[in-house]
């Protein structure tokens, strides 16, 4: 649900600068101290499950479902954002009650974690068990990880991964500086709502057997890259129009 706050632009504050600074400090400190280490375990566990649970020809779909599940929380959060702020047509920050509701929801996360099924109980459509690794020591795991890091193709994922964590600063600043509170709240609802069917369709496209794996990889990269580049060019053009002027764009009911 934290993405719903990010989608507000500037963390929902009246100006984005404090939120951007806090995000930068959090990422820098977290990477060195705690966040980067434990977030790594989280993402590895999630993606491992989504890649090992399904059959090989369904992995794209399951990755899409995983992304859709993550965005479901953003829909709930976006709904809260819009409900608590839809009357504010001026610039500024969101209602503080919005943050309190989010804190309450996120405190329940540990409860949902204990409701997950263990891997040993996961079954495919045909009734077969999900693939699991054999018993392996931590030393062997880190050795395998080191070998994986030496693969040049592994580092190709660094660029989209890095981008996925930091592009929000540009988009969030754009929203916070030039849109009303309720427009930003509506944006936080629309974004995940549109994302869910798109990621599922994207995943299913990656499972198509009519193309080779190499062709599917290039198709996937282009489908992701071209719209991203187009959006940043468009935002740059819009920034040039606004200049340093404080603009509050709003929608009409």
């Amino acid at each position: 649900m934290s993405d719903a706050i990010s989608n507000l632009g500037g963390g929902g504050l009246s100006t984005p600068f404090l939120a951007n600074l806090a995000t930068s400090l959090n990422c820098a400190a977290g990477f060195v101290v705690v966040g980067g280490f434990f977030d790594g375990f989280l993402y590895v566990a999630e993606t491992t499950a989504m890649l090992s649970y399904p059959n090989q020809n369904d992995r794209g779909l399951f990755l899409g479902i995983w992304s859709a599940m993550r965005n479901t929380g953003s829909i709930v959060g976006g709904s809260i954002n819009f409900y608590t702020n839809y009357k504010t047509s001026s610039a500024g920050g969101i209602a503080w009650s919005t943050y309190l509701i989010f804190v309450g929801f996120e405190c329940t996360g540990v409860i949902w974690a204990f409701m997950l099924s263990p891997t040993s109980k996961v079954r495919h459509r045909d009734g077969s068990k999900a693939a699991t690794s054999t018993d392996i020591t931590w030393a062997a795991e880190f050795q395998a990880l080191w070998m994986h890091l030496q693969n040049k193709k592994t580092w190709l994922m660094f660029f989209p991964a890095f981008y996925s964590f930091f592009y929000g600063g540009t988009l969030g600043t754009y929203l916070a500086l030039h849109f009303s509170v309720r427009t930003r709240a509506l944006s936080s609802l629309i974004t995940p709502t549109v994302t869910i069917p798109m990621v599922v369709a994207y995943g299913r496209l990656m499972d198509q057997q009519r193309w080779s794996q190499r062709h599917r990889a290039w198709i996937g990269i282009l489908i992701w890259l071209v719209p991203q580049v187009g959006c940043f060019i468009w935002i740059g053009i819009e920034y040039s129009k606004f200049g340093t002027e404080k603009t509050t764009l709003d929608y009409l009911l």
Side-chain angles (χ1 to χ4, degrees):
M1 292 183 67
S2 60
D3 286 343
I5 293 294
S6 300
N7 291 337
L8 282 167
L13 302 176
S14 57
T15 60
F17 309 111
L18 178 60
N20 290 344
L21 176 60
T23 300
S24 300
L25 293 175
N26 179 63
C27 290
F31 178 78
V32 176
V33 186
V34 178
F37 184 78
F38 287 103
D39 284 352
F41 277 109
L42 171 64
Y43 287 117
V44 167
E46 285 184 326
T47 52
T48 299
M50 290 300 100
L51 289 174
S52 62
Y53 282 7
N55 292 316
Q56 184 174 357
N57 294 335
D58 291 329
R59 287 179 177 176
L61 175 62
F62 272 69
L63 283 173
I65 293 174
W66 167 54
S67 182
M69 291 168 59
R70 294 177 62 87
N71 278 278
T72 301
S74 295
I75 289 182
V76 175
S79 301
I80 295 171
N81 289 338
F82 188 63
Y83 177 75
T84 55
N85 297 280
Y86 73 94
K87 294 182 179 180
T88 309
S89 59
S90 59
I94 64 172
W96 284 104
S97 58
T98 307
Y99 296 108
L100 298 178
I101 297 172
F102 271 75
V103 171
F105 267 107
E106 294 191 355
C107 286
T108 66
V110 65
I111 299 175
W112 304 109
F114 281 108
M115 296 176 67
L116 295 174
S117 299
T119 305
S120 59
K121 294 184 178 181
V122 176
R123 296 292 184 272
H124 293 147
R125 296 174 184 173
D126 58 4
S128 60
K129 294 183 178 181
T132 56
S133 60
T134 57
D135 293 336
I136 186 172
T137 64
W138 279 94
E141 285 279 8
F142 281 111
Q143 184 179 6
L145 177 61
W146 174 248
M147 294 178 63
H148 183 63
L149 290 175
Q150 296 180 61
N151 188 336
K152 294 180 180 179
K153 292 182 179 179
T154 300
W155 290 99
L156 289 175
M157 294 304 300
F158 170 80
F159 299 102
F162 181 86
Y163 167 82
S164 69
F165 279 96
F166 293 100
Y167 79 98
T170 301
L171 302 182
T173 300
Y174 175 66
L175 284 171
L177 290 179
H178 302 301
F179 291 86
S180 66
V181 172
R182 68 179 183 180
T183 304
R184 292 158 61 189
L186 180 61
S187 172
S188 72
L189 175 60
I190 292 177
T191 299
T193 302
V194 174
T195 298
I196 287 179
M198 290 184 66
V199 293
V200 174
Y202 184 82
R204 177 52 76 185
L205 178 65
M206 294 297 98
D207 287 332
Q208 294 297 317
Q209 301 301 308
R210 69 183 70 177
W211 304 302
S212 67
Q213 188 179 50
R214 184 183 184 88
H215 286 162
R216 279 180 283 166
W218 276 109
I219 291 172
I221 290 174
L222 292 175
I223 290 177
W224 171 79
L225 182 63
V226 172
Q228 296 288 336
V229 173
C231 284
F232 269 90
I233 292 174
W234 176 72
I235 289 177
I237 294 173
E238 292 297 303
Y239 264 127
S240 67
K241 293 179 181 178
F242 296 140
T244 58
E245 180 183 353
K246 181 70 174 180
T247 309
T248 305
L249 301 177
D250 189 39
Y251 62 85
L252 296 177
L253 294 174

